[in-house]
Amino acid sequence: GLLGCLRAVEIEVQDKASPSPCLKTCAGTSNPNTWTRYNTKDAFQWVDMRFCGFVKKPYVMTSLHAPTRHWTLVGTSNIYEISKEFFRVFLTDSAMGSSYDECMGKCHIQFMALG
């Protein structure tokens, strides 16, 4: 993953336990072998951001890398249960296939987080 820090100008830190006024940026890629079947059509994946070292829940943007049929997979930008360490993404296949079968071992989530 990639780590960075954007210095914010004119920011007021209200939580004294927070580090200096800094917006940390972090980018990473999920493991394509960690998809879980949710039902016959849908799958989900927990994405690990612990290496980022966020102290609070960040803002996260995602994209999906898939070798084929990625245009039929829906849900990449719908982030569930986000915390400072993990988030979860659910996928469904709009073409009546199984997102689990399409993605297990082949698809990964790329993310950029800011917090």
Side-chain angles (χ1 to χ4, degrees):
L2 302 173
L3 293 174
C5 181
L6 301 173
R7 293 287 170 198
V9 179
E10 295 183 28
I11 184 171
E12 180 180 326
V13 177
Q14 294 180 7
D15 182 356
K16 300 302 180 197
S18 296
S20 64
C22 172
L23 296 174
K24 182 182 279 190
T25 59
C26 181
T29 302
S30 70
N31 181 337
N33 296 310
T34 59
W35 289 97
T36 301
R37 186 183 301 275
Y38 184 68
N39 57 33
T40 57
K41 187 174 168 105
D42 304 325
F44 69 88
Q45 184 178 64
W46 284 101
V47 180
D48 188 346
M49 299 187 298
R50 287 179 291 188
F51 70 91
C52 296
F54 289 114
V55 296
K56 293 185 179 179
K57 179 171 60 173
Y59 295 98
V60 177
M61 297 160 282
T62 59
S63 65
L64 176 72
H65 175 77
T68 60
R69 288 189 41 185
H70 59 278
W71 61 90
T72 68
L73 297 169
V74 179
T76 303
S77 62
N78 299 328
I79 299 170
Y80 294 84
E81 300 180 54
I82 187 168
S83 72
K84 64 183 182 178
E85 297 178 335
F86 297 94
F87 64 89
R88 185 160 59 157
V89 173
F90 279 86
L91 293 182
T92 192
D93 191 332
S94 64
M96 300 299 291
S98 164
S99 58
Y100 177 84
D101 294 337
E102 286 297 317
C103 281
M104 185 58 179
K106 299 175 269 189
C107 301
H108 59 265
I109 300 293
Q110 296 170 317
F111 72 89
M112 177 171 271
L114 175 68

